[in-house]
Amino acid sequence: MDDCIIIGAGPAGLTAAIYLARYHLRIRMFDSGSSRAALIPCTHNHAGYPDGISGKDLLGLMLEQAEKYGATREQAEVTGLRVLEEGFAVRVGDREFAARSVLLATGVVNHRPNMPDDLHDEALQRGLLRYCPVCDGYEVTDKRVGVIGTGEHGMREALFIRGFTADLTMIAPEAHELDTALTDQLDDAGIARIDGPCGNWAIEGDQIALDTAQGRLCFDSVYPALGSRIRSTLAVQAGARAAEDGCLEVDDHQRTTVPGLFAAGDVAKGLDQISHAMGEAGVAATTIRNTLNAQRPIRR
């Protein structure tokens, strides 16, 4: 039986693997290969990299560090998680692995605009399409920016981006769903609003273009504010409690409501940032170590 199985090898999962391996615990890590961090062309707000670093390069360095201390990553999707009398059973295809504890670092999946995958990926790599103004709002300073979204969620994202540029347009996927209180806030911030439907996306020169109810528009960058899917199904399947949006409820030590089951990173409630995910993973890994040690002292 493993001491801990880590599900997910993004910034949270890899940080936990480094800690747990250095604690001399028996760990196993499974990765479906779809970390959202891998999509980042270049992050400039991750401390320690003055010139920025791509998400793939950062994950590669973190995996190299984890492997240096004996951690291993298997690229495979975990399809089931159940509670045992002592610990958990983790299902991967037709195999099942037992562990005294489990750390979920499965993250989230952004809802994308309706555009071809190859166009989406190119636009993302060129900074024409962006998903995280907390991460890269600085890069759109004084640029022409569009926000695809509506309702309170879309309004909040638009108001956040307003701190970086005044040339901002909020475009509804179909029609705007905004009450007077929301429109008043948008008007006060000077944010233009345009109804959808929107589509027929294309890269035109150094801008991204799309059709709207007011004709074709071009932007330096577009932020989709369409929400995301929280990958918390495995934990909920095992009995963990999640918030209405799907984020797992955890305490100050990253413990879910199921004893021995932990969560770190974007799958748990909190700020969706690499630095935050790494901090949570360090807390979770240390709590896992101390919990297991209390059950049966760790000795070399």
Side-chain angles (χ1 to χ4, degrees), residues 44 46 106 215:
H44 292 277
H46 187 58
T106 43

Side-chain angles (χ1 to χ4, degrees), residues 36-147:
R36 189 165 60 154
L39 300 175
I40 300 172
C42 186
T43 176
H44 292 277
N45 69 340
H46 187 58
Y49 296 94
D51 297 319
I53 184 170
S54 74
K56 286 184 179 179
D57 287 347
L58 178 63
L59 294 176
L61 289 169
M62 294 179 71
L63 177 60
E64 180 183 340
Q65 187 172 349
E67 290 176 337
K68 178 179 180 179
Y69 297 104
T72 59
R73 178 193 65 173
E74 180 179 340
Q75 185 138 343
E77 184 176 357
V78 174
T79 56
L81 176 64
R82 60 189 178 91
V83 179
L84 302 176
E85 186 173 334
E86 181 185 347
F88 300 86
V90 174
R91 176 159 290 280
V92 180
D94 59 358
R95 298 174 295 160
E96 197 166 68
F97 302 88
R100 298 172 66 193
S101 64
V102 168
L103 172 62
L104 266 292
T106 43
V108 308
V109 179
N110 293 118
H111 294 317
R112 297 182 172 190
N114 186 17
M115 65 171 66
D117 288 344
D118 57 346
L119 175 63
H120 174 276
D121 294 346
E122 182 182 353
L124 197 65
Q125 288 302 309
R126 291 177 59 177
L128 302 175
L129 197 66
R130 301 175 181 272
Y131 282 94
C132 180
V134 175
C135 307
D136 55 26
Y138 183 89
E139 275 63 55
V140 301
T141 298
D142 296 332
K143 298 287 185 67
R144 179 169 169 76
V145 176
V147 174

Side-chain angles (χ1 to χ4, degrees), residues 70-262:
T72 59
R73 178 193 65 173
E74 180 179 340
Q75 185 138 343
E77 184 176 357
V78 174
T79 56
L81 176 64
R82 60 189 178 91
V83 179
L84 302 176
E85 186 173 334
E86 181 185 347
F88 300 86
V90 174
R91 176 159 290 280
V92 180
D94 59 358
R95 298 174 295 160
E96 197 166 68
F97 302 88
R100 298 172 66 193
S101 64
V102 168
L103 172 62
L104 266 292
T106 43
V108 308
V109 179
N110 293 118
H111 294 317
R112 297 182 172 190
N114 186 17
M115 65 171 66
D117 288 344
D118 57 346
L119 175 63
H120 174 276
D121 294 346
E122 182 182 353
L124 197 65
Q125 288 302 309
R126 291 177 59 177
L128 302 175
L129 197 66
R130 301 175 181 272
Y131 282 94
C132 180
V134 175
C135 307
D136 55 26
Y138 183 89
E139 275 63 55
V140 301
T141 298
D142 296 332
K143 298 287 185 67
R144 179 169 169 76
V145 176
V147 174
I148 307 300
T150 190
E152 186 174 355
H153 179 78
M155 180 207 68
R156 287 200 309 269
E157 183 127 336
L159 290 177
F160 188 91
I161 297 168
R162 182 62 183 83
F164 299 96
T165 182
D167 193 347
L168 189 60
T169 303
M170 184 173 167
I171 306 165
E174 293 297 333
H176 272 302
E177 301 170 3
L178 299 165
D179 59 25
T180 302
L182 299 182
T183 57
D184 285 349
Q185 291 184 68
L186 291 166
D187 288 342
D188 185 60
I191 298 171
R193 297 186 303 280
I194 295 177
D195 274 333
C198 60
N200 194 22
W201 296 80
I203 295 174
E204 298 180 358
D206 292 329
Q207 292 186 310
I208 187 163
L210 70 158
D211 290 337
T212 73
Q214 292 187 20
R216 194 154 184 79
L217 298 175
C218 295
F219 297 95
D220 297 316
S221 284
V222 167
Y223 283 89
L226 303 173
S228 56
R229 175 175 62 85
I230 316 300
R231 293 195 277 203
S232 57
T233 304
L234 289 170
V236 172
Q237 187 180 95
R241 189 162 59 237
E244 189 175 333
D245 62 1
C247 285
L248 294 174
E249 296 182 10
V250 295
D251 66 8
D252 291 342
H253 297 276
Q254 304 306 128
R255 294 178 289 216
T256 72
T257 53
V258 175
L261 180 61
F262 296 76

